[in-house]
Amino acid sequence: MKKVILTIVCALGFLNASAWSQKGHDVTAYIAEKHLTPATKAAVDSILEGKSMVYWANWLDNASHQSEMAYTKTWHYKNIDANVDYDQSPLNEKGDVIRAIESQVKILSDASTTPEQAALAMKILVHCMGDMHQPMHMGHLSDLGGNKTKVKFFNRDTNLHSIWDSSLVESGHKWSYTEWQDQIDRATAEEEAQILSGTVNDWGKETYEIAGRCYKYFRPGSNVMYDQVAAWTPVIEQQLLRGGLRLAHVLNTIYDPQYNK
């Protein structure tokens, strides 16, 4: 019995370290797939040996806990405390989600990259682009991205990070990842151009600012219920769409010479 309890506790801890849960990462990857140009899609299919980005979207959450990939544990987030300027914040010597994305883009853009290196970089990029758009993965260092900010979700004890990983997403819409894409992937050309403007660092800063709003709204000990779900579901829709469109944009820029011409 003790072993069973310990297993459950460990599993809960693992889930709290995830981002967007499986659904959110699948949505991000699927939106990206829908916006790949034919040339980019062919390149991605070749790199991933026919498997989709959705297939690999959640892979890094498990892989980071394996010894050979342990170096990626800090690549899922960039935690900065309140009142610390984003651009002047100390860098984690082990890496963060912004530098992880930038480094994978560099690897994928290098003509000397081997197929094995490209496959690994692609899997990491797909996941980290989703992570960067989950507000608590750009949350405060002092509370481990919301993990130490205790709240309730419909009277159940939890924390701010956990409700952003999955509770708010699943309560906002009970959709499959394909239904999510169908319903939220409707940006106009002007809206899409605005979403794609800027750099990876700009996108991270944007999410960091959303995280700041979250901390002001979801106070420690608050009970998140219907009103809060309704208020923040549009932000979740916005972030998932941004992540998917930006992932496609980065890949199209790398693999399609005619993109943006």
Side-chain angles (χ1 to χ4, degrees):
M1 178 62 72
K2 288 183 179 180
K3 289 183 178 179
V4 172
I5 293 173
L6 180 60
T7 299
I8 293 172
V9 170
C10 290
L12 290 173
F14 173 77
L15 288 173
N16 283 345
S18 304
W20 280 144
S21 72
Q22 179 173 336
K23 183 69 65 63
H25 279 291
D26 288 351
V27 174
T28 299
Y30 192 58
I31 289 173
E33 285 186 349
K34 290 293 186 178
H35 289 266
L36 299 181
T37 67
T40 303
K41 185 178 185 307
V44 172
D45 286 348
S46 176
I47 290 170
L48 297 179
E49 297 183 334
K51 289 186 169 64
S52 72
M53 290 194 292
V54 175
Y55 181 93
W56 293 108
N58 290 274
W59 172 81
L60 193 62
D61 272 337
N62 181 65
S64 289
H65 291 267
Q66 299 170 19
S67 58
E68 64 270 23
M69 293 293 294
Y71 65 91
T72 65
K73 282 185 177 180
T74 64
W75 291 15
H76 299 257
Y77 56 87
K78 180 180 175 71
N79 290 160
I80 306 170
D81 275 330
N83 303 318
V84 175
D85 182 80
Y86 177 90
D87 295 314
Q88 302 300 320
S89 60
L91 295 177
N92 186 331
E93 62 180 16
K94 296 181 180 179
D96 59 58
V97 68
I98 304 301
R99 285 178 289 160
I101 291 172
E102 292 173 338
S103 63
Q104 305 321 299
V105 170
K106 185 176 181 180
I107 291 169
L108 292 171
S109 302
D110 189 340
S112 67
T113 295
T114 68
E116 293 76 14
Q117 291 170 330
L120 177 59
M122 183 71 70
K123 296 169 191 176
I124 293 174
L125 175 63
V126 169
H127 186 85
C128 287
M129 189 64 79
D131 279 348
M132 184 180 67
H133 288 85
Q134 204 274 54
M136 287 300 102
H137 278 246
M138 301 296 294
H140 294 167
L141 178 63
S142 58
D143 78 336
L144 304 180
N147 275 293
K148 295 171 68 175
T149 297
K150 304 303 180 184
V151 297
K152 292 180 181 291
F153 191 79
F154 287 88
N155 300 310
R156 174 178 60 83
D157 290 334
T158 183
N159 62 70
L160 186 56
H161 190 110
S162 182
I163 66 170
W164 271 95
D165 274 348
S166 58
S167 301
L168 289 172
V169 177
E170 295 295 349
S171 296
H173 300 295
K174 285 290 185 182
W175 293 335
S176 66
Y177 72 83
T178 57
E179 290 171 325
W180 270 94
Q181 181 275 327
D182 181 63
Q183 295 300 318
I184 71 173
D185 188 7
R186 301 180 181 216
T188 65
E190 293 76 14
E191 290 169 339
E192 186 169 338
Q194 179 59 38
I195 289 171
L196 300 183
S197 64
T199 65
V200 172
N201 197 56
D202 292 331
W203 302 338
K205 187 174 184 178
E206 177 186 69
T207 304
Y208 168 71
E209 292 168 353
I210 295 173
R213 289 163 45 198
C214 291
Y215 280 106
K216 291 178 180 178
Y217 186 94
F218 297 97
R219 306 303 300 173
S222 60
N223 189 20
V224 179
M225 297 183 71
Y226 299 102
D227 289 348
Q228 292 75 25
V229 171
W232 287 87
T233 294
V235 177
I236 292 169
E237 296 171 0
Q238 165 193 273
Q239 289 302 99
L240 292 176
L241 179 60
R242 284 172 172 173
L245 292 178
R246 288 166 175 171
L247 175 57
H249 173 67
V250 167
L251 293 173
N252 286 330
T253 300
I254 295 171
Y255 293 113
D256 190 344
Q258 300 304 311
Y259 183 68
N260 280 336
K261 286 189 176 181

